C-alpha cells in the first residue's frame, strides 16, 4: 500500500523539510526543487521483514526437538474435527484464555474483556515530530513501542539517531524548550515528563525488585501460583492452559518490575487526572509557562520548570475534549484551542479569559454539507507580511481553514483551501527569496469509496504559495519516496491516521437521525 505522510516538521529556519511516512522519516530540500535528501526507518520494520520468514515454523520444530532430547515421544498430531477447529477469530484460543484468566483471578469468575475501540496496528508508525529552533536535532515518537527518539541533523538533511528512550506510557504530545536542551513529553496517563535532549553518558541505576523489603504488606497481588506442572497435566488443552497461566504470571511480574520507572534520566513535573492531548510552551515577561489540555475539556496554565507544579490558572469553557493548542506567532499572549466542539476558542491564556469563539462547523458544512460534528486535529500559527495567521485542520474534512489575527485580537476567516484528500498535517517553510511556502500532507484515499488507493503517482505532499491577493494557491507537489510494502489494511491505517475521533466519550450523536458526524466516535 502507498502510505501517505502523516507528520511534518521544519528544521530550524532552513528550507529542509522533515516528513514522517509510516515508520520512516524522510528529509527534503525545498530550495533545490524539493529534492530527496535522506531516509530513516524504524529498526523493527527492517528486522520484521527478515525475521518473519526465518521464524516461520520454528516453534513447532523446537517443541518436537525438546521432546526428543528429553527422551519423550513426539506429540501426536491430533486431527481437528469441525468442533475443535479454530475459526478466523481464534475462538478456541479465546476460550482457553478465559479459562486461564478465571483461574489466575482466583475468584472462579471469568473476566469480561471490553471491546477494543479503534484498535491500532502493531506497526511502529511515527506519531509525533518536533525539531529544535536551530534545526540541529529532531525528536520523534513511535506510538506502538512508546519510544522517544532523538536524531542529530548534520545541516544537510541527514539524520543520525542518538538515543531511544521508552517512556512509561505512550506520549501524546511533545515540546522542546527554547534553548533546545530539554524535552517535555505528555502522555495518555496524564503525566508530563522532563528529559534532557541528549541523555547523560551515565544513566541512573534502575532500582531492582530486591531493594524493596519483602513484607506481607508489600506482597504482590498476583501471588497466585498454578498447582499443576508440566509433569502432571494429561491433555494438550490442560497444557495450553498451564502455559497461559505461566505467561500471565510472567507478564504481571514484569509489570511490577517496571513500576519502578525507566532507568534513563527523567523527571515527572506535572500531571492531570485525565488523558493529556496537547502541550505547548508560552512566554510572558521572559518567563516560561507550560499549557496543557486534556480529554476532560480542561486547559491548564502551569509555571515553567522548576515550578511546573504551580498552577497559574485554567482556561475553562470547552464542552467537549480539547485536542490541539497553538499560540499566535507575533501575539504570544493569545492561545487558540480546538477539539470536539463546533468552534475554535481564542483565549488570553495568562488571565484565563475567553475572547472569542469562531464557528468552525459552519465552515466545514460548506465543504461537507451533511456534517453534524467536527474534530480539530491540527492548529498551526505563522506570520507573513506583518500579519499573524492560524490554520485549522479538521479530521476527515478535505480542506484547510485559514484565519487572520485581527487588530482586536480576534480571528477572522480569510480563506478555505480545498484539497484533493483529507489533510493530516501542515507547516510553513521559509523561501530563500523571502516569504513562506505551505506544505500540506494529505491522505489521497477517498474514504467515501471502498477501494484502496494504490496509485504510486498519488501525491501526499502538496506545495502552496501566496498569490497577489495573499491567498494560498497550489504550486506543485513533492514526489513521494517509495518504501517497502507494509502489510496493513485500510481500516487499520485509518485508525492510525484519524485517532481524534476516538476521544469522544460517547458514540451517541446529538441531533436528528441520519446526521453525519465528521470525526465522530469510532466506527
Amino acid at each position: 500500500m502507498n502510505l501517505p505522510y502523516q507528520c511534518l516538521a521544519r528544521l530550524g529556519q532552513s528550507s529542509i523539510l522533515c516528513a514522517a511516512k509510516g515508520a520512516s522519516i524522510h528529509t527534503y530540500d525545498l530550495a533545490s526543487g524539493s529534492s530527496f535528501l535522506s531516509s530513516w526507518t524504524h529498526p523493527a520494520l527492517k528486522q520484521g521483514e527478515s525475521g518473519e520468514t526465518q521464524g516461520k515454523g520454528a516453534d513447532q520444530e523446537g517443541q518436537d526437538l525438546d521432546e526428543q532430547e528429553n527422551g519423550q515421544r513426539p506429540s501426536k498430531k491430533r486431527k481437528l474435527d469441525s468442533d475443535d477447529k479454530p475459526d478466523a477469530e481464534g475462538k478456541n484460543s479465546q476460550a482457553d484464555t478465559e479459562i486461564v484468566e478465571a483461574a489466575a483471578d482466583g475468584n472462579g469468575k471469568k473476566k469480561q474483556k471490553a471491546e477494543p475501540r479503534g484498535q491500532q496496528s502493531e506497526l511502529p508508525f511515527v506519531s509525533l515530530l518536533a525539531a529544535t529552533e536551530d534545526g540541529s536535532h529532531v525528536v520523534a515518537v513511535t506510538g506502538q513501542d512508546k519510544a522517544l527518539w532523538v536524531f542529530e541533523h548534520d545541516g544537510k538533511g541527514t539524520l543520525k539517531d542518538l538515543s531511544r528512550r521508552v517512556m512509561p506510557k505512550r506520549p501524546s504530545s511533545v515540546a522542546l524548550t527554547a534553548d533546545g536542551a530539554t524535552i517535555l513529553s505528555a502522555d495518555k496517563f496524564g503525566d508530563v515528563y522532563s528529559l534532557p535532549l541528549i541523555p547523560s553518558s551515565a544513566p541512573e541505576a534502575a532500582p531492582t525488585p530486591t531493594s524493596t523489603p519483602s513484607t506481607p504488606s508489600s506482597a504482590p497481588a498476583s501471588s497466585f501460583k498454578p498447582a499443576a506442572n508440566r509433569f502432571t497435566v494429561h491433555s494438550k488443552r490442560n497444557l495450553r492452559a498451564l502455559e497461559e497461566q505461566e505467561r500471565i504470571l510472567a507478564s504481571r511480574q514484569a509489570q511490577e518490575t517496571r513500576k519502578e520507572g525507566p532507568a534513563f534520566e527523567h523527571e515527572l513535573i506535572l500531571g492531570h487526572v485525565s488523558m493529556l492531548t496537547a502541550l505547548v510552551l508560552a512566554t510572558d515577561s521572559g518567563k516560561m509557562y507550560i499549557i496543557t489540555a486534556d480529554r476532560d475539556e480542561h486547559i491548564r496554565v502551569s509555571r515553567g520548570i522548576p515550578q511546573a507544579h504551580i498552577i497559574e490558572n485554567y482556561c475553562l469553557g470547552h464542552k467537549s475534549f480539547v485536542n490541539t493548542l497553538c499560540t499566535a506567532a507575533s501575539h504570544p499572549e493569545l492561545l487558540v484551542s480546538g477539539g470536539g466542539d463546533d468552534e475554535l476558542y481564542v483565549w488570553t491564556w495568562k488571565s484565563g479569559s475567553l475572547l472569542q469563539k469562531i464557528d468552525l462547523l459552519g465552515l466545514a458544512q460548506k465543504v461537507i454539507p451533511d456534517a453534524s460534528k467536527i474534530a480539530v486535529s491540527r492548529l498551526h500559527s505563522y506570520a507573513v507580511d506583518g500579519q499573524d495567521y492560524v490554520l485549522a485542520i479538521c479530521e476527515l474534512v478535505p480542506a484547510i481553514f485559514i484565519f487572520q489575527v485581527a487588530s482586536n485580537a480576534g480571528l477572522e476567516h480569510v480563506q478555505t483551501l480545498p484539497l484533493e484528500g483529507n489533510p493530516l498535517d501542515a507547516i510553513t517553510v521559509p523561501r530563500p527569496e523571502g516569504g513562506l511556502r505551505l506544505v500540506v500532507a494529505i491522505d489521497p484515499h477517498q474514504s467515501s469509496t471502498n477501494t484502496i488507493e494504490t496509485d504510486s503517482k498519488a501525491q501526499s505532499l502538496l506545495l502552496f504559495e501566496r498569490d497577489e491577493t495573499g491567498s494560498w494557491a497550489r504550486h506543485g507537489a513533492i514526489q513521494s519516496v517509495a518504501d517497502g510494502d507494509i502489510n496493513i489494511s485500510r481500516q487499520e491505517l485509518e485508525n492510525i491516521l484519524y485517532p481524534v475521533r476516538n476521544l469522544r466519550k460517547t458514540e451517541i450523536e446529538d441531533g436528528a437521525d441520519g446526521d453525519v458526524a465528521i470525526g465522530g466516535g469510532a466506527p
Side-chain angles (χ1 to χ4, degrees), residues 380-395:
H380 174 67
S381 175
Y382 61 94
V384 59
D385 297 336
Q387 296 289 335
D388 273 8
Y389 296 87
V390 174
L391 64 82
I393 296 176
C394 296
E395 201 170 70

Side-chain angles (χ1 to χ4, degrees), residues 125-129 139-143 146-149 170-171 174 185:
F125 273 45
V126 178
S127 58
L128 298 171
L129 269 183
V139 176
V141 172
T142 48
K146 302 180 292 185
L148 190 149
W149 301 78
R170 182 174 300 181
V174 294
S185 173

Side-chain angles (χ1 to χ4, degrees), residues 356-419:
Q356 183 188 16
K357 292 197 295 185
I358 306 102
D359 180 23
L360 193 56
L361 176 61
L363 297 175
Q365 288 174 336
K366 294 180 181 179
V367 181
I368 304 179
D370 53 354
S372 65
K373 293 285 185 182
I374 56 173
V376 183
S377 58
R378 293 285 196 281
L379 290 173
H380 174 67
S381 175
Y382 61 94
V384 59
D385 297 336
Q387 296 289 335
D388 273 8
Y389 296 87
V390 174
L391 64 82
I393 296 176
C394 296
E395 201 170 70
L396 298 171
V397 177
I400 291 180
F401 306 100
I402 313 293
F403 301 88
Q404 180 179 346
V405 179
S407 57
N408 61 352
L411 294 184
E412 295 179 358
H413 175 253
V414 294
Q415 183 184 4
T416 296
L417 183 62
L419 300 171

Side-chain angles (χ1 to χ4, degrees), residues 163-281:
S163 66
R164 173 183 178 271
R165 285 168 278 187
V166 178
M167 302 301 295
K169 298 292 180 180
R170 182 174 300 181
S172 55
S173 183
V174 294
L176 289 156
T177 54
D179 59 3
T182 305
I183 306 171
L184 299 185
S185 173
D187 63 30
K188 294 183 178 295
F189 199 68
D191 295 329
V192 176
Y193 290 92
S194 169
L195 306 92
L197 178 70
I198 308 299
S200 58
S201 56
E204 297 177 352
T208 58
T210 57
S211 61
T212 303
S214 179
T215 60
S217 59
S218 63
S222 58
S223 58
F224 168 80
K225 292 184 179 180
N229 56 53
R230 294 178 180 269
F231 299 101
T232 59
V233 293
H234 302 288
S235 67
K236 280 192 173 182
R237 183 180 181 86
N238 291 341
L239 179 60
R240 288 197 302 268
L242 177 62
E243 292 173 346
E244 189 66 18
Q245 289 181 8
E246 293 174 346
R247 184 191 64 79
I248 292 174
L249 290 176
S251 175
R252 292 182 178 178
Q253 291 173 358
Q255 290 177 1
E256 292 170 0
T257 302
R258 288 195 299 266
K259 286 180 181 179
E260 301 294 342
F264 54 81
E265 182 181 355
H266 68 291
E267 180 183 1
L268 177 63
I269 59 174
L270 64 90
H272 285 227
V273 295
S274 178
M275 176 193 300
L276 279 174
T277 55
L279 180 152
V280 296
L281 302 181

Side-chain angles (χ1 to χ4, degrees), residues 3-289:
L3 297 177
Y5 287 91
Q6 71 267 17
C7 297
L8 304 176
R10 182 184 67 195
L11 299 185
Q13 296 301 316
S14 69
S15 59
I16 298 179
L17 173 73
C18 191
K21 179 182 182 182
S24 301
I25 300 176
H26 301 161
T27 55
Y28 296 90
D29 187 1
L30 302 186
S32 59
S34 303
S35 59
F36 172 74
L37 298 178
S38 70
S39 175
W40 173 88
T41 301
H42 195 288
L45 201 62
K46 298 178 180 179
Q47 296 173 2
E49 294 175 356
S50 60
E52 183 178 358
T53 56
Q54 295 178 1
K56 188 176 295 184
D59 292 341
Q60 181 62 40
E61 294 177 1
Q63 180 181 351
D64 293 343
L65 183 60
D66 290 342
E67 291 175 347
Q68 293 177 9
E69 290 179 350
N70 293 333
Q72 301 177 9
R73 296 177 59 186
S75 301
K76 292 183 179 180
K77 306 300 186 292
R78 184 171 61 91
K79 183 177 180 181
L80 297 176
D81 55 24
S82 59
D83 295 333
D84 293 333
K85 290 181 179 179
D87 59 10
E89 282 82 22
K91 292 182 179 179
N92 280 3
S93 61
Q94 284 186 349
D96 293 341
T97 303
E98 290 179 354
I99 294 174
V100 171
E101 289 188 348
D105 190 14
N107 297 326
K109 297 181 180 179
K110 295 181 181 179
K111 292 183 179 180
Q112 299 295 330
K113 291 186 178 181
E115 288 292 331
R117 186 182 183 186
Q119 186 176 4
Q120 295 187 355
S121 171
E122 292 301 315
L123 294 172
F125 273 45
V126 178
S127 58
L128 298 171
L129 269 183
T132 56
E133 292 186 0
D134 60 1
S136 61
H137 293 84
V138 175
V139 176
V141 172
T142 48
Q144 184 269 336
D145 55 1
K146 302 180 292 185
L148 190 149
W149 301 78
V150 175
F151 301 89
E152 182 181 24
H153 177 223
D154 66 352
K156 300 178 182 179
T158 302
L159 301 180
K160 175 185 177 182
D161 55 297
L162 298 180
S163 66
R164 173 183 178 271
R165 285 168 278 187
V166 178
M167 302 301 295
K169 298 292 180 180
R170 182 174 300 181
S172 55
S173 183
V174 294
L176 289 156
T177 54
D179 59 3
T182 305
I183 306 171
L184 299 185
S185 173
D187 63 30
K188 294 183 178 295
F189 199 68
D191 295 329
V192 176
Y193 290 92
S194 169
L195 306 92
L197 178 70
I198 308 299
S200 58
S201 56
E204 297 177 352
T208 58
T210 57
S211 61
T212 303
S214 179
T215 60
S217 59
S218 63
S222 58
S223 58
F224 168 80
K225 292 184 179 180
N229 56 53
R230 294 178 180 269
F231 299 101
T232 59
V233 293
H234 302 288
S235 67
K236 280 192 173 182
R237 183 180 181 86
N238 291 341
L239 179 60
R240 288 197 302 268
L242 177 62
E243 292 173 346
E244 189 66 18
Q245 289 181 8
E246 293 174 346
R247 184 191 64 79
I248 292 174
L249 290 176
S251 175
R252 292 182 178 178
Q253 291 173 358
Q255 290 177 1
E256 292 170 0
T257 302
R258 288 195 299 266
K259 286 180 181 179
E260 301 294 342
F264 54 81
E265 182 181 355
H266 68 291
E267 180 183 1
L268 177 63
I269 59 174
L270 64 90
H272 285 227
V273 295
S274 178
M275 176 193 300
L276 279 174
T277 55
L279 180 152
V280 296
L281 302 181
T283 57
D284 180 74
S285 301
K287 297 181 179 179
M288 185 183 76
Y289 294 85

